[in-house]
Amino acid sequence: DPADPADESGPVLPAPADPPADAPAGNGQAGASRPAGESEQIPILNWEQTLELVKRHKGRVVVVDLWSHHCPPCLRELPHFVALSKMDPGRVACLGVNLDYYGSSKEPPESFRDGVRDTLKEHDADFVNVISNVPATELVDRLGFAAVPAVFVFDREGNQVKRFDNDNAGDEFTYEKDVVPFVESLLTDGS
């Protein structure tokens, strides 16, 4: 099956104790924080490899934001995602997943690194961000929603406990009214 993420090419990740050599530092990654957008490599990963990064943050609530430069609501919410990443980094880890790649051989996932890096730098984002190596439409279909933005929240044990997307919502979800209060409730409940 060509949609099988195991068939997607991507780097083999090291054991969970060692972050990927090309993963940017910040928000819970080993190593010192760097200014956003510095010359670090942004990993190109499939969804399963991204979930391996989530597992490295066991003991923290993890918020994974799937976004694209072609998505105005994604870019509108990015400053709020950055604010959440700085809220309580000892208990909350944030991970961005860029879905600009649409499967074109003329624009491979690597071709989006500069744009992603520039956007992160512009917003002073120092959390880990990856670029999906699975075409965006294929990944959102596989994950069961129509389009970005989408936010996945994982509890301290690494279990997905909530997904925010606009498929069934009357209004667009936002960090301020939806995501942040949910994360705060997980922190308050001690989950």
Side-chain angles (χ1 to χ4, degrees), residues 27 60-63 84-85 87-94 183 187:
N27 198 349
R60 296 185 195 166
V61 172
V62 181
V63 180
L84 175 63
S85 75
M87 180 179 88
D88 191 348
R91 298 191 309 154
V92 178
C94 292
V183 169
L187 295 174

Side-chain angles (χ1 to χ4, degrees), residues 22 26 32 37 41 52 86 108 111 133 140 146 149 184:
D22 63 352
Q41 290 283 29
E52 287 299 315
K86 297 172 190 289
S111 70
N133 65 4
V140 298
E184 288 174 337

Side-chain angles (χ1 to χ4, degrees), residues 132-155:
S132 175
N133 65 4
V134 179
T137 53
E138 190 177 309
L139 183 62
V140 298
D141 185 50
R142 190 177 329 153
L143 296 177
F145 60 96
V148 292
V151 174
F152 291 77
V153 181
F154 297 82
D155 66 15

Side-chain angles (χ1 to χ4, degrees), residues 80-191:
H80 302 288
F81 183 42
V82 171
L84 175 63
S85 75
K86 297 172 190 289
M87 180 179 88
D88 191 348
R91 298 191 309 154
V92 178
C94 292
L95 173 64
V97 179
N98 176 270
L99 298 184
D100 283 349
Y101 174 59
Y102 276 84
S104 170
S105 60
K106 293 180 182 178
E107 291 184 302
E110 296 81 6
S111 70
F112 298 100
R113 275 193 173 124
D114 288 344
V116 169
R117 185 178 296 114
D118 290 348
T119 298
L120 296 174
K121 185 175 183 176
E122 176 185 333
H123 291 283
D124 193 30
D126 66 354
F127 50 80
V128 174
N129 198 96
V130 304
I131 298 172
S132 175
N133 65 4
V134 179
T137 53
E138 190 177 309
L139 183 62
V140 298
D141 185 50
R142 190 177 329 153
L143 296 177
F145 60 96
V148 292
V151 174
F152 291 77
V153 181
F154 297 82
D155 66 15
R156 292 178 181 183
E157 295 301 314
N159 302 306
Q160 181 185 324
V161 291
K162 186 77 171 173
R163 181 180 82 198
F164 294 94
D165 60 58
N166 292 323
D167 288 356
N168 300 312
D171 293 327
E172 288 183 352
F173 75 88
T174 67
Y175 272 87
E176 186 176 52
K177 77 175 175 58
D178 300 300
V179 180
V180 170
F182 183 76
V183 169
E184 288 174 337
S185 75
L186 290 177
L187 295 174
T188 302
D189 293 343
S191 303

